[in-house]
């Protein structure tokens, strides 16, 4: 199942706010209506819903002028109820909740667990970002003893496992599409389950297995994300990334070796791809090749030229000339 997206941006601007929300809500309810959604009247209507399946686990998010999300008795009667749902407040303000006889508030990054076979309500201010992860009850039971007992209890988001879980979920919600690779999606789902189990308090044996899989996978994603963000800095190094993440350089290198690509190879590929894109962009025609190389993190121009030719089969100057010639012929 691909990424599901319902965005108010796709609605006609000729409709007023009430009509736009009605159209949005009807489309959502028809395709994925497991929750009752209310909007804020204090802001112009703007709302984006996304949902992505990863094996047995899903990741959904409401972002915008959603003021209230609830699972009513009607919703429960209409759908499968044998799931537990991890709910996270990803907005800037507190979100209140009522579930299983418990009432509380979640700070930004706060989270709690809901039983999908019981009504639940989460409500906030005018602008919110609410993330939810439905999980088959049986999958959590294999890792945690009586996980449903935690329902309606604010969970500690400061725990290392919780921080990794939040970072991993943030990465997934930033994707514009999902991959069709079932094995990859199942792996992502397993990683999510492991991190959730650790955040909730997995049993000793399950926690060990989850740590080996989940935390290691999450740390790998952290490293990859930091490479993508910092490669253009000429001083970028594994030492700096390792210090930032609080791990050893050897551990960082081991994580990347498991992906089949070393730290230096990943950095080099990012720099070469950025340089190729800049050379092909007419807006950079006034920049010399050496300037582009330095902007992409290369200190030594001869080294850049050798790497570019080895990667793309021609020199940077030749590639730029070929692109310019093709553009003129169009």
């Amino acid at each position: 199942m691909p990424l599901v997206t319902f965005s108010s941006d796709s609605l006609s601007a000729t409709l007023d706010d009430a009509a736009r929300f009605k159209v949005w809500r009807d489309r959502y309810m028809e395709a994925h209506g497991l929750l009752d959604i209310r909007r804020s009247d204090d802001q112009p209507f703007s709302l984006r819903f996304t949902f992505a399946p990863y094996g047995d686990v899903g990741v959904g998010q409401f972002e915008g002028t959603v003021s209230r999300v609830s699972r009513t008795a009607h919703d429960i009667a209409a759908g499968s109820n044998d799931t537990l749902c991890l709910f996270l407040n990803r907005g800037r303000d507190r979100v209140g909740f009522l579930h299983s006889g418990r009432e509380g508030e979640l700070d930004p990054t706060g989270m709690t667990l809901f039983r999908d076979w019981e009504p639940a309500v989460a409500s906030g201010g005018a602008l919110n970002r609410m993330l939810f992860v439905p999980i088959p009850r049986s999958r959590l039971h294999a890792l945690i003893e009586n996980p449903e007992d935690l329902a309606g209890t604010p969970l500690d988001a400061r725990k290392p496992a919780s921080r990794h879980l939040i970072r991993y979920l943030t990465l997934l919600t930033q994707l514009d599409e999902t991959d069709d690779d079932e094995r990859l999606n199942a792996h992502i789902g397993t990683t999510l389950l492991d991190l959730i189990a650790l955040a909730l308090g997995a049993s000793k044996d399950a926690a060990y297995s989850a740590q080996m899989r989940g935390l290691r996978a999450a740390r790998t994603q952290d490293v990859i994300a930091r490479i993508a963000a910092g490669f253009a800095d000429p001083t970028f190094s594994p030492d700096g990334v390792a210090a930032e993440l609080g791990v050893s350089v050897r551990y960082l290198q081991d994580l990347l070796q498991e992906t089949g690509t070393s730290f230096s190879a990943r950095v080099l590929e990012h720099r070469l791809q950025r340089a190729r894109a800049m050379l092909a962009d007419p807006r950079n025609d006034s920049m010399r090749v050496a300037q582009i190389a330095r902007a992409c993190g290369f200190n030594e121009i001869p080294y850049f030229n050798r790497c570019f030719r080895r990667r793309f089969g021609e020199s940077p100057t030749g590639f730029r000339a070929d692109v310019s010639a093709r553009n003129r012929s169009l």
Side-chain angles (χ1 to χ4, degrees):
M1 179 181 176
L3 178 71
V4 175
T5 302
F6 294 102
S7 174
S8 59
D9 293 341
S10 64
L11 301 178
S12 172
T14 62
L15 300 173
D16 62 24
D17 271 6
R20 294 176 76 238
F21 176 65
K22 183 179 185 306
V23 173
W24 182 93
R25 189 174 183 276
D26 288 347
R27 290 180 181 177
Y28 163 77
M29 293 298 291
E30 181 180 356
H32 208 82
L34 302 177
L35 298 167
D36 183 56
I37 312 300
R38 304 292 175 87
R39 75 178 186 92
S40 169
D41 294 325
D42 299 332
Q43 295 283 340
F45 173 60
S46 175
L47 183 54
R48 185 171 188 263
F49 165 77
T50 57
F51 184 83
Y54 296 105
D56 292 333
V57 182
V59 178
Q61 181 174 259
F62 293 95
E63 183 174 12
T65 55
V66 51
S67 62
R68 187 174 184 269
V69 174
S70 64
R71 186 165 173 83
T72 66
H74 178 270
D75 300 319
I76 292 170
S80 173
N81 306 325
D82 200 25
T83 55
L84 290 159
C85 185
L86 185 69
F87 178 88
L88 295 90
N89 176 18
R90 303 295 291 131
R92 297 180 179 180
D93 302 319
R94 289 185 174 185
V95 168
F97 69 88
L98 177 62
H99 178 63
S100 193
R102 295 171 178 169
E103 185 174 359
E105 282 191 331
L106 297 177
D107 291 327
T109 73
M111 56 185 175
T112 190
L113 198 67
F114 291 152
R115 303 168 180 164
D116 275 352
W117 57 90
E118 294 180 2
V121 178
S123 58
L127 291 170
N128 292 284
R129 187 178 172 205
M130 303 177 182
L131 191 149
F132 61 96
V133 184
I135 312 152
R137 189 179 181 184
S138 59
R139 294 298 305 274
L140 267 186
H141 263 275
L143 299 170
I144 307 169
E145 186 176 354
N146 301 322
E148 58 271 11
D149 291 350
L150 296 172
T153 303
L155 303 170
D156 187 359
R158 297 168 300 176
K159 293 170 58 177
S162 299
R163 295 200 303 270
H164 280 293
L165 171 62
I166 291 169
R167 281 199 292 265
Y168 196 61
L169 285 168
T170 299
L171 173 68
L172 293 177
T173 56
Q174 290 171 346
L175 300 176
D176 292 327
E177 58 183 1
T178 54
D179 203 293
D180 291 333
D181 189 331
E182 292 185 4
R183 292 181 61 187
L184 173 61
N185 288 331
H187 173 75
I188 293 172
T190 299
T191 301
L192 277 174
L193 269 171
D194 286 338
L195 290 172
I196 290 169
L198 288 170
L200 297 181
S203 63
K204 184 176 179 180
D205 290 343
Y208 178 77
S209 297
Q211 259 184 324
M212 296 303 292
R213 294 191 305 261
L215 285 180
R216 197 169 180 87
R219 284 174 176 146
T220 301
Q221 291 300 321
D222 273 346
V223 174
I224 291 172
R226 279 163 171 74
I227 291 174
F231 68 87
D233 181 355
T235 65
F236 191 66
S237 70
D239 300 73
V241 175
E244 185 180 352
L245 294 178
V247 300
S248 69
V249 175
R250 175 63 182 272
Y251 179 74
L252 181 149
Q253 297 282 20
D254 286 346
L255 290 178
L256 290 177
Q257 287 296 340
E258 291 174 3
T259 72
T261 307
S262 68
F263 186 95
S264 58
R266 280 186 180 274
V267 171
L268 178 60
E269 180 66 14
H270 276 292
R271 288 175 175 174
L272 289 172
Q273 292 293 346
R274 171 73 64 83
R276 188 172 186 266
M278 291 183 68
L279 288 166
D281 191 337
R283 292 174 296 182
N284 299 321
D285 284 351
S286 63
M287 295 181 68
R288 298 192 302 274
V289 169
Q291 290 176 302
I292 289 177
R294 291 191 179 94
C296 296
F298 290 96
N299 281 325
E300 299 179 7
I301 307 308
Y303 173 71
F304 165 66
N305 289 332
R306 290 196 302 273
C307 291
F308 193 96
R309 183 184 289 276
R310 183 167 59 245
R311 177 65 177 85
F312 300 115
E314 58 183 332
S315 69
T317 302
F319 171 77
R320 172 181 259 181
D322 288 345
V323 171
S324 297
R326 287 196 296 270
N327 289 339
R328 287 194 299 269
S329 66
L330 295 177

